[in-house]
């Protein structure tokens, strides 16, 4: 039996994909209901506004967003994982993702050309070439 500690309360439970014990899972489902009810009333909200109105912890709301548990036409703003700018989707803002893309140099991704086997007009023959011809 696989046992693990709950990421929310630290209690030991039978391991599942959510990382939560049964009690914390029930609490998170109740929190989802609170957040969904709030978002029905207010279409656009920041993470702080949701927290203040529902009492649900920031990390629980973020976990719900990342798991896709909160789905609606609501635009929920949360901080970029790099700079903290408020974003509505993904993990990084456009500026941070652009910085990462600019740091990737396309010429480094291309395979490098093999050095020529010819040296000063002489050609070399390798045993591998002999075996490939048979």
């Amino acid at each position: 039996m696989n046992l693990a500690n709950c990421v929310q309360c630290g209690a030991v439970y039978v391991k599942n994909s959510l990382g939560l014990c049964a009690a914390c899972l029930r609490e998170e489902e109740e929190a989802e209901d609170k957040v969904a009810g709030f978002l029905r009333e207010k279409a656009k909200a920041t993470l702080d506004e949701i927290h203040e109105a529902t009492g649900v912890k920031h990390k629980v709301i973020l976990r719900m967003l990342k798991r896709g548990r909160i789905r609606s036409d609501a635009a929920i703003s949360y901080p970029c994982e790099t700079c903290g700018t408020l974003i509505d989707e993904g993990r990084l803002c456009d500026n941070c993702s652009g910085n990462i893309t600019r740091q990737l140099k396309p010429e480094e991704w291309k395979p490098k050309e093999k050095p020529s086997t010819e040296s000063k007009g002489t050609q070399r023959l390798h045993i591998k070439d002999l075996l490939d011809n048979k």
Side-chain angles (χ1 to χ4, degrees), residues 22-118:
C24 289
L25 186 57
R26 276 191 299 277
E27 287 178 19
E28 188 157 314
E29 288 172 353
E30 291 171 8
E32 286 175 17
D33 291 339
K34 287 180 188 177
V35 171
F38 174 75
L39 291 175
R40 279 188 213 107
E41 296 172 13
K42 186 171 182 177
K44 292 189 176 190
T46 64
L47 193 60
D48 288 329
E49 289 172 340
I50 296 170
H51 168 71
E52 289 172 14
T54 62
V56 178
K57 295 179 183 176
H58 286 85
K59 68 179 183 177
V60 174
I61 298 169
L62 287 173
R63 189 168 47 236
M64 285 187 253
L65 284 169
K66 290 178 183 177
R67 287 184 182 157
R69 300 293 294 174
I70 303 173
R71 292 192 184 256
S72 69
D73 295 334
I76 302 169
S77 299
Y78 52 94
C80 167
E81 291 184 6
T82 302
C83 68
T85 301
L86 292 178
I87 56 176
D88 295 331
E89 63 182 0
R91 296 173 60 183
L92 300 174
C93 66
D94 291 336
N95 190 28
C96 291
S97 62
N99 286 341
I100 292 171
T101 304
R102 283 190 294 278
Q103 289 176 14
L104 298 174
K105 297 176 183 171
E107 61 272 5
E108 291 179 0
W109 288 69
K110 295 179 184 175
K112 294 183 180 179
E113 293 181 24
K114 294 181 181 179
S116 176
T117 56
E118 295 183 21

